[in-house]
Amino acid sequence: MRIKVRGKRRLQGVVEISGAKNSAVAIIPAAVLADEPVTIRNIPDIQDVRTLIGLLQEIGYSTTYQDNVLHLKQVTKIDSEIKSDDVKKLRGSYYFMGAFLGKLRRIKMRQSGGCDLGRRPINFHLDGFKKMGAKIEDEGEQISINAPKLTGSKIDLEFPSVGATINIMLAAVKAKGTTIINNAAIEPEIIDVGNFLISMGAAIEGLGSPTIKIVGVKYFHGTDFRVSPDRIEAGTYLILGALSKGKGLTVRNIEADKMTSLLNLLRAIGCRIDLKENEIFIKTESQLQNFHIVTKPYPGFPTDLGQLITVLMLIVEGESSLKETIFSNRFSHVYELKKMGADIRVEEDTIYVKGPSKLNGATLVAHDLRCAAALILASTLNRGLTIVENIEVLLRGYENPIQKLQKLGLNIQVEEKKEDISLHI
Ligand code: EPU
């Protein structure tokens, strides 16, 4: 699938932000810990969510998913092996490891997939499970984890990994005894997942701090839980607002206190930012300044917005840079932006951009989720035609992006290839 964009910078209007992808992809697997039916609201309608719902159905759940509300009920005995290859389609499927350990004390599944951002080992997750008594057989493609006596432990993370913090938390909430996670990640999505678990009866203290204490419990009741808004989707549209020369963009249904690093940067380089209760208005009224930024764990500048912010560097005067410190290779968009004529290069872990760049039309390839979003942002800067191939990767993590962008005034269309169309017949 590909999209065609006729670029235009006069974009304006209101965009509604959906539920957080990185909360939802953990909360859905976490729901298997419930001993009663659960309802989860504000689940974004994205491909990763659809894949996880399919996996739940295969595991033994009846599901209904409509208007962003997901109802889940276990209807058959759950087998400890997830046979489907679909776990390879996304990263979040690895949360079945922690959740199954908590519920069944064992799991066998294929390794999860996700965006290619360089090396993405899961040694911190597995070391945590081992400390809780698990035996692991890692056969490359397949992984089996068994912990008949899953027991709370003190786990010191080498790095505040989002995935490891959540996965260990999922195993610990139903383990015997107390688990302490030191150097835990403090991303808002951890708090979201933790609150979901607490709403079912989990005993967790310290969410949002580097030390999380979990006392295992035996039974989880049902819940009706609402996922928080997606701060990365909101950031994507705020950067679009900064690029735009329209009357301003309102990004609605957000939690601004979770976006401080981005908002501070946008203000510092010259954007007008007005905050209201659950919305942010952004407008670029004057020439923006060049800037240098480093990605960091929360509350630092998020790696997930790194590729996107480099597009903003294309319109400012002088050299700007982004140092990526979380993933070893999150630069897939650089080569694509070069095809458009951007003056952009990578040296070691840093992207350098010289602006302003006059971009030309080109046919680009989206290599990963945030790369796709960055290329669409860049396409607005070129008045000609930009084609972005492999746009499926965008739909893995953004809800209704095409409709939302069209509503802001962008001429963007999806074009299915002949092979794609024949699949639907
Ligand atoms: N790491 C290890 N060993 C581990 C775990 C992580 O070496 O066991 C390393 C990673 O290789 C990486 C760093 O630690 O260099 C950070 O990884 P982390 O575990 O924090 O990231 P993740 O759980 O794989 C989640 C999000 C990412 C987001 C990062 C950082 C999900 C499904 N994914 O990934 O989201 O970039 O946290 O905030 O929640 C995205 O949305 O585009 C995306 C990639």
Side-chain angles (χ1 to χ4, degrees):
M1 208 192 287
R2 61 191 203 166
I3 50 154
K4 287 183 166 179
V5 184
R6 288 226 168 254
K8 160 175 172 190
R9 289 186 66 186
R10 279 195 193 285
L11 302 177
Q12 58 209 23
V14 179
V15 60
E16 301 274 345
I17 297 308
S18 306
K21 166 181 94 80
N22 287 345
S23 295
V25 298
I27 285 174
I28 296 171
V32 305
L33 286 160
D35 296 295
E36 296 173 10
V38 302
T39 296
I40 315 164
R41 297 177 195 274
N42 205 29
I43 291 275
D45 194 353
I46 54 177
Q47 193 48 48
D48 279 5
V49 159
R50 294 271 169 185
T51 305
L52 286 170
I53 293 175
L55 285 166
L56 282 179
Q57 289 166 347
E58 206 171 298
I59 289 166
Y61 281 79
S62 99
T63 67
T64 60
Y65 180 46
Q66 211 180 357
D67 299 331
N68 301 107
V69 182
L70 176 63
H71 299 285
L72 296 175
K73 188 177 175 197
Q74 188 184 333
V75 283
T76 56
K77 192 166 173 287
I78 296 181
D79 185 28
S80 64
E81 178 173 357
I82 301 178
K83 295 198 175 71
S84 174
D85 262 358
D86 282 357
V87 296
K88 292 200 277 192
K89 290 188 177 165
L90 77 161
R91 194 82 187 146
S93 58
Y94 62 16
Y95 293 126
F96 281 116
M97 293 180 187
F100 268 51
L101 278 186
K103 189 178 183 91
L104 304 171
R105 302 298 195 241
R106 59 186 188 279
I107 180 159
K108 183 171 182 185
M109 64 180 270
R110 290 180 202 287
Q111 299 277 8
S112 62
C115 291
D116 182 2
L117 312 174
R119 279 188 71 242
R120 294 183 81 177
I122 58 164
N123 54 320
F124 304 153
H125 308 226
L126 301 182
D127 289 348
F129 297 150
K130 277 186 207 158
K131 281 209 106 182
M132 298 172 78
K135 294 261 176 306
I136 294 166
E137 284 172 52
D138 190 344
E139 296 156 12
E141 269 275 284
Q142 286 269 7
I143 185 154
S144 300
I145 313 176
N146 277 286
K149 292 197 179 117
L150 190 72
T151 313
S153 181
K154 184 168 140 320
I155 294 163
D156 300 316
L157 290 179
E158 212 174 293
F159 179 87
S161 151
V162 170
T165 302
I166 293 178
N167 235 340
I168 293 166
M169 207 158 72
L170 297 182
V173 285
K174 281 197 169 178
K176 193 164 177 283
T178 302
T179 298
I180 307 278
I181 310 176
N182 286 320
N183 199 24
I186 60 170
E187 268 68 6
E189 293 72 28
I190 312 272
I191 304 181
D192 227 13
V193 179
N195 283 336
F196 171 68
L197 296 167
I198 290 170
S199 77
M200 298 193 292
I204 306 177
E205 284 171 23
L207 288 172
S209 82
T211 303
I212 300 179
K213 180 180 170 195
I214 303 153
V215 181
V217 298
K218 284 198 172 137
Y219 189 86
F220 272 7
H221 50 75
T223 184
D224 187 331
F225 186 82
R226 187 175 174 84
V227 173
S228 297
D230 195 315
R231 66 193 169 100
I232 305 300
E233 188 199 14
T236 304
Y237 288 104
L238 282 171
I239 297 171
L240 180 68
L243 289 168
S244 172
K245 286 181 173 167
K247 290 183 184 149
L249 221 104
T250 299
V251 182
R252 188 167 285 163
N253 181 30
I254 46 92
E255 289 174 358
D257 57 335
K258 294 178 181 169
M259 302 176 59
T260 310
S261 62
L262 174 66
L263 294 175
N264 286 347
L265 172 74
L266 293 173
R267 274 197 199 98
I269 64 172
C271 296
R272 178 178 145 202
I273 303 270
D274 299 339
L275 293 185
K276 281 201 197 141
E277 199 184 330
N278 72 340
E279 63 182 46
I280 304 174
F281 173 80
I282 179 160
K283 190 167 185 317
T284 296
E285 292 171 332
S286 53
Q287 177 61 41
L288 301 179
Q289 283 169 29
N290 62 330
F291 55 98
H292 302 276
I293 193 145
V294 181
T295 63
K296 298 224 175 86
Y298 187 82
F301 191 85
T303 171
D304 293 343
L305 291 177
Q307 289 161 296
L308 295 132
I309 204 76
T310 59
V311 177
L312 191 55
M313 296 174 181
L314 297 171
I315 65 161
V316 304
E317 186 82 43
E319 185 165 88
S320 300
S321 66
L322 171 98
K323 185 176 161 78
E324 167 61 41
T325 70
I326 308 294
F327 290 104
S328 59
N329 190 356
R330 211 166 191 178
F331 309 125
S332 61
H333 64 305
V334 170
Y335 175 68
E336 303 301 322
L337 292 179
K338 267 180 190 285
K339 287 189 200 163
M340 298 180 85
D343 188 344
I344 182 167
R345 68 183 198 282
V346 180
E347 277 175 28
E348 294 177 3
D349 57 1
T350 304
I351 300 174
Y352 296 90
V353 181
K354 271 203 196 115
S357 276
K358 195 170 177 326
L359 300 187
N360 49 260
T363 298
L364 312 173
V365 181
H367 299 277
D368 52 75
L369 170 64
R370 307 299 171 191
C371 170
L375 299 183
I376 292 178
L377 292 190
S379 73
T380 68
L381 303 177
N382 156 40
R383 296 194 69 114
L385 179 68
T386 307
I387 295 174
V388 186
E389 311 258 15
N390 193 34
I391 208 64
E392 286 86 347
V393 290
L394 179 77
L395 305 179
R396 282 192 42 211
Y398 284 88
E399 183 174 68
N400 293 333
I402 310 300
Q403 294 86 332
K404 288 183 186 184
L405 289 162
Q406 284 171 342
K407 200 174 151 225
L408 296 174
L410 186 62
N411 183 345
I412 178 168
Q413 255 90 39
V414 177
E415 195 183 78
E416 299 208 23
K417 284 194 196 142
K418 283 205 182 85
E419 314 86 270
D420 299 332
I421 294 166
S422 63
L423 288 176
H424 299 305
I425 296 171

